[in-house]
Structure formats: structure tokens, C-alpha cells
């Protein structure tokens, strides 16, 4: 039987043990409360930090970094969903080095677990990624990842993207608290993204307004049409981050558009090119009177196959200049490959700018018409003065000399007077011819060299089995005389006919250009070339035409096969 002292000691130890347990539990609760407090403070700091950022890209990076810190994840990423809601257009990461990214390759496109969250925008927490049915592994050299936590980011009622967290530090699992914290951050992120978007849109509107004011000032200052169009193209290209801007205008009424202006990457490959209205991207915008977009210009069937011309080009939008039947052309803007497609808001702004381009072209036409009327009025005045004053005086002088000649007895003197009378008659004829030339002018019945070339190329398309590529540069209609223009058409028709009959080509390119000193016609094809001993009557005819005009004809075989013909003559003949 225990003594009374030992019993007393046992009773004292039992309460002491319970007190220690209570103190430990209290300490644990205090630590948990302190941890919760610190986490709430961290969450609030993250929300405030994200909310202060107005630059969209910086805001997205801040969100990813805050998410990784809040749930203690080794890796974090934010995937921006594409407009069609089927993949990822952008992917920002934390925890993966640039060297690792380069080794892995391209960013994810929205398959596997990432795609699962896109298809079902609800929080997803996994103890092991590989055990989920939607998982199909990682690319080579990808860091190992097991634990996973993902939540969607909503901007108003639309899912903007997803937050992806993997590998909680210390080998622990993501828990409900982590999911709750990340969901709260996602809500704040949605607000921050919306604010950043609105701020970007307001800044963009401000830039559009500034440029619109600049264009309006240029229009009201009476600048030339080409200068205003270039200003519009340059400013539009800058604001939309486009790599190429093109302006195409119709060629008379023959169903074709010619590139009047091209600035940016590879502009020289597009400038002067003639495009069909039917079947082309620009032509569709011209006919429909509404914008036409392309996700990737380099692979668009509505663009003629020319790898060098479209290499490196991506999203594009073609906007008509003017509306309906009054469309005066088309503006085409192209971004580099891999850049985002043109949004509806951007297209709306471009339509407004295209309207300004139409005003510029219309004002230029009115100004040109006014100058033409003034010139014709001046011609009429000169013709009237020549007829009423100069001719009458010359005629009177001739009559006087003729009368005086009858009174001159010296034969040689009389002969000289009669020659002077004849000279006056000839002068009167010359002046009358000049008057007729001043008063008569073409009323549009004729056609310029550009139109004739387009027609000649179009007529040979059925013989070739395809439409030849065509590019024209320089003031062909004004600097090339009609006589030389006729020879150009004859040589062009002969050259294309030879290609159709003998070359068996799959591609033909025509380039016509002038610098004011000479006109140069180039016709190249990828056919069989000129066989030795073959008929060369057509080449002789073209060579003779060149020799008659003090020009040259060169026929070569390019390294890639086919034939290259260059016919060049001076514009001004001796």
C-alpha cells in the first residue's frame, strides 16, 4: 500500500501534465494565428502591389511572383488564353531560368493539365500531376514537377487566363488554405488586369487623337496627297506595332489594284506590284467595303505565292479607304510572325484612319481638278490672244507685204518680199496648230501605259495557265512617250507569248520601271530556258525594236533555271 506522500505527488504531476498540454496547444494556436496574420498581411501587400501597377505586362509578372510567394511554390506561371478560348497566347513564368526555357523549347500551347483548366475554369489541386487523366508528361529537359495548384483569373465575366503553381517547397502538398489564398489573389489580379487594360486603352485613344490632329493639320495645310498618305501609313504602323504598311489604289477600271505606297519591312518587294481584285486579300476588302483580316499572311491563300515577299510576316488586316462604290483604295497593315492578331477595337480605329486617307485623296483630286481647270482656262486665254491679236497682225502684215511686192520693180527684192509672205503664212499655220493643241485635250478616251500593261498581262494569263506577277514603278504614264509605250507593249506581248509557247513555266514575273531617263522591262520565268538551235525570230524582233530606239536587249539564264529577258531603251530619243 502506497504511502500518503507518494499519492500526493501523483496528484500533483497529473494536473501539471494537463497544463503543459494546454500550454502547447495554446502555443500552437498562437503560432497558427500568427501565421494566418502574416499570410493575410502578405496577401494584402500582394493585392496592393498588383493593384498599383498600370502597365499590363508588369502587372502580369507581379501577379505570378506574388502567387509563388504566397503559397510557397518553387514554380509559378500565368497563361493568357487566346481570343478563341482554346489555347494560350502568352506564358509568363517564375522559377525557370532562361537557359532552361531555351532547352525546353517553345512555351506551352494549352494541352494536358494546362488545357484541362482552360476547358474547365475551376480551381484544380493535385498531389501528383502524372496521375491525372489529362496529363501526358513533360517535354525533354523539363524540371520535375509533382504537386499542382491552378486557379482561373476572370476579368469581369470573361476568363482572361490561369495561374499555375507547382512544387510546394519542403515536399508538402498544396492545401485548402493555399487554394483559398490563390483564389483571392486571382480576384485581385482580375481587377488589376482590367485596370491596366483600361489604362492602355485610354493611352492608345490619346495617341490616336494626337495623330488624328496631326493628319487633319496636314490636310488643311494643303500638303500633297502622297505626303499625307505616307504620314497616315507611318503613324498607323507605329501605333499598331505593324512591321509593314501598304496602300493600294485601283488601276482605271480594269479590275486590278496597284501598290502606290509601301513602308516598313520588305517594302521594296511590294511597291509597284499589281494585284487582282478578284481572289486577293486586298481585293476582297476593296470589293466588300469592310475590313478583312488574316491570322498569318505568309500562309494565306488570298496572297500570291512569293516566299520572299511574305517571309516573316504574320497577322494582317486590310481596310478599305472610303465606303461602298466610292472606295479609293485599300490600306494593309501587317505584323511580324508570332505577334497578336488585330483586335476589333484596333480595326475600328483603322477604319477611322482610312476615312481620313479617303479625305486626303479626295482633297488632292479636287485640288488637281482645280489646277487643271485653271490651266485649261489659261490655255484658252493664250489661244484667244494668239488668234485675236498675233494671227490678225501677221495676216495684215502679210497682206501689206504682198501688196507692196507688186510695186517693187527689182526682181530680186520682189522675190525676197514674196518669200517673207510665204514665211508669214507658214508662221500663221504653226500658230493655228498650236492654238488647236492648246484647246484640244484628251477627255479620258485614251489609256495610260500602266493600264495597257495590266491588260496585256491579263490577256496572256489564259495562255500561261496562271496569272503572271506584275510590278510597275515610276511615272510611266507621263515620262514614257506614247511611241515608246507602244513598243513596250509589243515587246511584253511577244515575251509572254514565247513563255506560254515554249517555256512550260510555272511562274512568270514582269517588272516595268522608269527613272525618267530610260524605261526598263524585265520578264523572268522558271521554265525550260532557251534550247540551243531553237527558233529565235521573236528575240530578233525584240532586239530590233530596242536597236531602233538606241536601247538594248539582254537574255540570260538565271542560276535557278528559266530565262530572264531585260529590254531597256532611253526615254528621250535623239
Amino acid at each position: 500500500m502506497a504511502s500518503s506522500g507518494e499519492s500526493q505527488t501523483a496528484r500533483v504531476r497529473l494536473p501539471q501534465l494537463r497544463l503543459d498540454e494546454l500550454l502547447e496547444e495554446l502555443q500552437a494556436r498562437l503560432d497558427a494565428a500568427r501565421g494566418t496574420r502574416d499570410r493575410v498581411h502578405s496577401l494584402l501587400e500582394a493585392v496592393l502591389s498588383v493593384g498599383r501597377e498600370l502597365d499590363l505586362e508588369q502587372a502580369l509578372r507581379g501577379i505570378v511572383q506574388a502567387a509563388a510567394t504566397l503559397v510557397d511554390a518553387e514554380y509559378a506561371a500565368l497563361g493568357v488564353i487566346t481570343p478563341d478560348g482554346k489555347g494560350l497566347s502568352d506564358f509568363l513564368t517564375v522559377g525557370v531560368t532562361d537557359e532552361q526555357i531555351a532547352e525546353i523549347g517553345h512555351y506551352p500551347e494549352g494541352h494536358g493539365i494546362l488545357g484541362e483548366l482552360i476547358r474547365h475554369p475551376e480551381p484544380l489541386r493535385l498531389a501528383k500531376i502524372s496521375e491525372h487523366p489529362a496529363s501526358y508528361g513533360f517535354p525533354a529537359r523539363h524540371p520535375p514537377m509533382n504537386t499542382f495548384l491552378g486557379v482561373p483569373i476572370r476579368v469581369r465575366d470573361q476568363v482572361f487566363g490561369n495561374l499555375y503553381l507547382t512544387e510546394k517547397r519542403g515536399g508538402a502538398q498544396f492545401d485548402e488554405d493555399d487554394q483559398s489564398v490563390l483564389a483571392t489573389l486571382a480576384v485581385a489580379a482580375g481587377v488589376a488586369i482590367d485596370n491596366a487594360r483600361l489604362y492602355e486603352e485610354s493611352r492608345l485613344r490619346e495617341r490616336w487623337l494626337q495623330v488624328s490632329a496631326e493628319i487633319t493639320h496636314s490636310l488643311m495645310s494643303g500638303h500633297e496627297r502622297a505626303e499625307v498618305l505616307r504620314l497616315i501609313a507611318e503613324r498607323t504602323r507605329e501605333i499598331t506595332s505593324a512591321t509593314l504598311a501598304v496602300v493600294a489604289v485601283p488601276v482605271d477600271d480594269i479590275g486590278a489594284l496597284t501598290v502606290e505606297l509601301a513602308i516598313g519591312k520588305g517594302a521594296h518587294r511590294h511597291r509597284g506590284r499589281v494585284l487582282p481584285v478578284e481572289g486577293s486579300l486586298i481585293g476582297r476588302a476593296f470589293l466588300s467595303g469592310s475590313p478583312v483580316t488574316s491570322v498569318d499572311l505568309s500562309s494565306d491563300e488570298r496572297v500570291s505565292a512569293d516566299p520572299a515577299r511574305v517571309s516573316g510576316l504574320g497577322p494582317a488586316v486590310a481596310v478599305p479607304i472610303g465606303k461602298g462604290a466610292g472606295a479609293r483604295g485599300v490600306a494593309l497593315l501587317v505584323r511580324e510572325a508570332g505577334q497578336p492578331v488585330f483586335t476589333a477595337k484596333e480595326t475600328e480605329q483603322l477604319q477611322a484612319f482610312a476615312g481620313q486617307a479617303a479625305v486626303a485623296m479626295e482633297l488632292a483630286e479636287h485640288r488637281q481638278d482645280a489646277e487643271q481647270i485653271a490651266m485649261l482656262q489659261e490655255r484658252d486665254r493664250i489661244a484667244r490672244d494668239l488668234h485675236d491679236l498675233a494671227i490678225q497682225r501677221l495676216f495684215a502684215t502679210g497682206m501689206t507685204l504682198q501688196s507692196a511686192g507688186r510695186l517693187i520693180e527689182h526682181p530680186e527684192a520682189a522675190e525676197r518680199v514674196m518669200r517673207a509672205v510665204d514665211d508669214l503664212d507658214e508662221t500663221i499655220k504653226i500658230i493655228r496648230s498650236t492654238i488647236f493643241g492648246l484647246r484640244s485635250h484628251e477627255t479620258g478616251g485614251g489609256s495610260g501605259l500602266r493600264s495597257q500593261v495590266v491588260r496585256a498581262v491579263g490577256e496572256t494569263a489564259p495562255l500561261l495557265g496562271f496569272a503572271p506577277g506584275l510590278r510597275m514603278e515610276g511615272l510611266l504614264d507621263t515620262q514614257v512617250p506614247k511611241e515608246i509605250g507602244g513598243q513596250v507593249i509589243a515587246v511584253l506581248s511577244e515575251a509572254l507569248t514565247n513563255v506560254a509557247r515554249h517555256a512550260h513555266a510555272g511562274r512568270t514575273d514582269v517588272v516595268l520601271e522608269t527613272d525618267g531617263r530610260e524605261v526598263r522591262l524585265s520578264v523572268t520565268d522558271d521554265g525550260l530556258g532557251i534550247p540551243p538551235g531553237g527558233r529565235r525570230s521573236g528575240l530578233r524582233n525584240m532586239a530590233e525594236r530596242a536597236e531602233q530606239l538606241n536601247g538594248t536587249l539582254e537574255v540570260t539564264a538565271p542560276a535557278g533555271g528559266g530565262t530572264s529577258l531585260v529590254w531597256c531603251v532611253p526615254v528621250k530619243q535623239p
Side-chain angles (χ1 to χ4, degrees):
M1 185 171 183
S3 64
S4 60
E6 292 176 349
S7 176
Q8 183 67 27
T9 301
R11 285 195 298 271
V12 172
R13 287 177 178 172
L14 184 59
Q16 183 66 39
L17 289 173
R18 289 179 178 174
L19 180 60
D20 290 343
E21 291 176 358
L22 290 173
L23 288 174
E24 289 177 1
E25 183 178 352
L26 177 60
Q27 185 63 43
R29 289 179 179 272
L30 288 174
D31 291 342
R34 191 179 294 111
T36 302
R37 180 200 64 185
D38 294 342
R39 199 167 198 184
V40 169
H41 285 170
S42 299
L43 177 60
L44 290 175
E45 289 177 2
V47 169
L48 291 175
S49 175
V50 168
R52 282 193 297 265
E53 187 58 65
L54 290 177
D55 181 79
L56 182 57
E57 184 175 354
Q58 293 300 323
L60 295 179
R61 293 192 179 278
I63 291 167
V64 181
Q65 186 64 58
T69 303
L70 284 173
V71 299
D72 202 21
E74 186 173 353
Y75 304 107
L78 191 154
V80 180
I81 298 177
T82 56
D84 60 8
K86 296 181 180 179
L88 299 176
S89 61
D90 201 1
F91 201 76
L92 293 85
T93 62
V94 167
V96 183
T97 64
D98 293 338
E99 292 77 11
Q100 288 176 312
I101 293 173
E103 290 179 351
I104 295 170
H106 62 80
Y107 281 114
E109 299 177 352
H111 306 297
I113 295 296
L114 305 187
E116 182 70 16
L117 207 58
I118 294 174
R119 293 184 293 271
H120 305 94
E122 298 294 336
L124 179 63
R125 183 157 44 97
L126 302 173
K128 195 172 185 61
I129 296 176
S130 60
E131 294 178 354
H132 193 278
S135 175
Y136 59 81
F138 294 100
R141 300 186 180 181
H142 195 284
M145 295 181 181
N146 293 299
T147 55
F148 176 86
L149 176 60
V151 296
I153 298 175
R154 287 182 169 84
V155 177
R156 299 183 182 177
D157 295 329
Q158 182 181 3
V159 178
F160 173 83
N162 296 308
L163 276 172
Y164 308 107
L165 287 301
T166 61
E167 292 301 289
K168 188 174 178 68
R169 297 183 187 276
Q173 298 288 327
F174 293 110
D175 54 24
E176 292 185 1
D177 289 342
D178 294 327
Q179 181 174 321
S180 178
V181 168
L182 202 59
T184 304
L185 178 65
V187 173
V191 176
I193 291 170
D194 194 25
N195 290 339
R197 275 180 164 181
L198 292 173
Y199 179 69
E200 279 195 357
E201 289 176 5
S202 65
R203 290 185 61 189
L204 188 60
R205 280 196 297 270
E206 183 180 358
R207 291 184 65 190
W208 279 113
L209 289 173
Q210 290 175 350
V211 173
S212 296
E214 183 181 1
I215 301 301
T216 302
H217 180 269
S218 180
L219 287 171
M220 300 306 294
S221 300
H223 290 173
E224 293 295 327
R225 163 181 138 164
E227 185 178 351
V228 177
L229 286 179
R230 174 169 287 277
L231 181 62
I232 290 174
E234 288 178 346
R235 295 295 180 268
T236 306
R237 187 171 70 94
E238 292 171 3
I239 293 178
T240 59
S241 300
T243 188
L244 175 67
V246 168
V247 176
V249 297
V251 183
D252 295 341
D253 298 320
I254 56 178
L257 296 163
T258 182
V259 177
E260 180 176 312
L261 173 67
I263 56 174
K265 180 180 179 181
H268 64 283
R269 297 191 181 99
H270 301 266
R271 197 176 297 118
R273 187 169 292 275
V274 178
L275 306 170
V277 172
E278 295 290 343
S280 66
L281 179 71
I282 288 180
R284 183 169 297 182
F286 181 76
L287 291 175
S288 65
S290 58
V292 178
T293 59
S294 174
V295 177
D296 184 6
L297 197 70
S298 62
S299 60
D300 198 310
E301 296 180 351
R302 297 168 293 183
V303 179
S304 60
D306 188 349
R309 189 164 63 94
V310 296
S311 176
L313 300 180
V317 59
V319 182
I321 300 175
K323 296 182 178 180
R328 299 174 181 274
V330 178
L332 176 71
L333 287 166
V334 190
R335 286 175 174 152
E336 289 187 349
Q339 294 296 311
V341 298
F342 286 88
T343 64
K345 289 185 179 180
E346 287 177 317
T347 304
E348 183 180 347
Q349 293 288 352
L350 289 172
Q351 283 183 283
F353 244 54
Q356 283 192 313
V359 172
M361 298 174 79
E362 185 173 358
L363 287 176
E365 288 177 4
H366 287 322
R367 193 179 298 117
Q368 186 177 4
D369 290 343
E371 292 173 355
Q372 183 76 5
I373 291 173
M375 182 189 68
L376 293 177
Q377 289 175 342
E378 181 65 11
R379 284 184 174 184
D380 285 343
R381 185 191 65 77
I382 294 172
R384 198 165 48 247
D385 289 347
L386 286 173
H387 183 272
D388 296 344
L389 300 176
I391 287 183
Q392 297 302 328
R393 289 190 178 186
L394 288 173
F395 186 75
T397 302
M399 292 291 291
T400 301
L401 288 174
Q402 193 173 15
S403 299
R406 298 190 186 98
L407 303 175
I408 298 175
E409 296 180 355
H410 194 283
E412 185 176 349
E415 182 181 358
R416 289 185 177 182
V417 170
M418 295 309 296
R419 284 204 301 269
V421 172
D422 292 339
D423 289 342
L424 285 175
D425 287 340
E426 190 65 28
T427 302
I428 291 172
K429 291 179 181 178
I430 293 173
I431 293 176
R432 280 177 173 167
S433 176
T434 302
I435 293 173
F436 178 78
L438 288 172
R439 285 181 170 173
S440 63
H441 58 277
E442 293 184 3
T443 59
S447 61
L449 180 57
R450 285 179 177 269
S451 301
Q452 294 179 50
V453 170
V454 174
R455 287 194 185 95
V457 171
E459 288 171 357
T460 57
L463 298 176
L464 293 166
F466 57 86
L470 175 60
R471 182 167 61 87
M472 296 185 285
E473 290 192 41
L475 303 177
L476 295 168
D477 289 339
T478 57
Q479 292 183 338
V480 179
K482 288 186 178 180
E483 297 77 11
I484 297 179
Q487 297 289 346
V488 169
I489 297 300
V491 172
L492 174 61
S493 299
E494 180 77 25
L496 291 177
T497 301
N498 287 344
V499 174
R501 288 178 178 175
H502 311 296
H504 300 287
R507 178 177 179 80
T508 302
D509 290 299
V510 177
V511 178
L512 179 64
E513 51 194 347
T514 182
D515 57 1
R517 295 187 297 273
E518 61 181 19
V519 59
R520 186 173 186 271
L521 173 66
S522 172
V523 180
T524 59
D525 65 75
D526 61 354
L528 302 177
I530 302 176
R535 295 183 59 187
R536 297 174 180 263
S537 57
L539 292 177
R540 282 197 300 272
N541 291 337
M542 289 184 277
E544 289 174 359
R545 292 180 187 274
E547 290 173 1
Q548 291 171 1
L549 298 172
N550 303 301
T552 59
L553 172 69
E554 295 182 7
V555 181
T556 58
T563 305
S564 174
L565 180 149
V566 178
W567 189 85
C568 184
V569 300
V571 169
K572 295 181 179 179
Q573 296 294 315

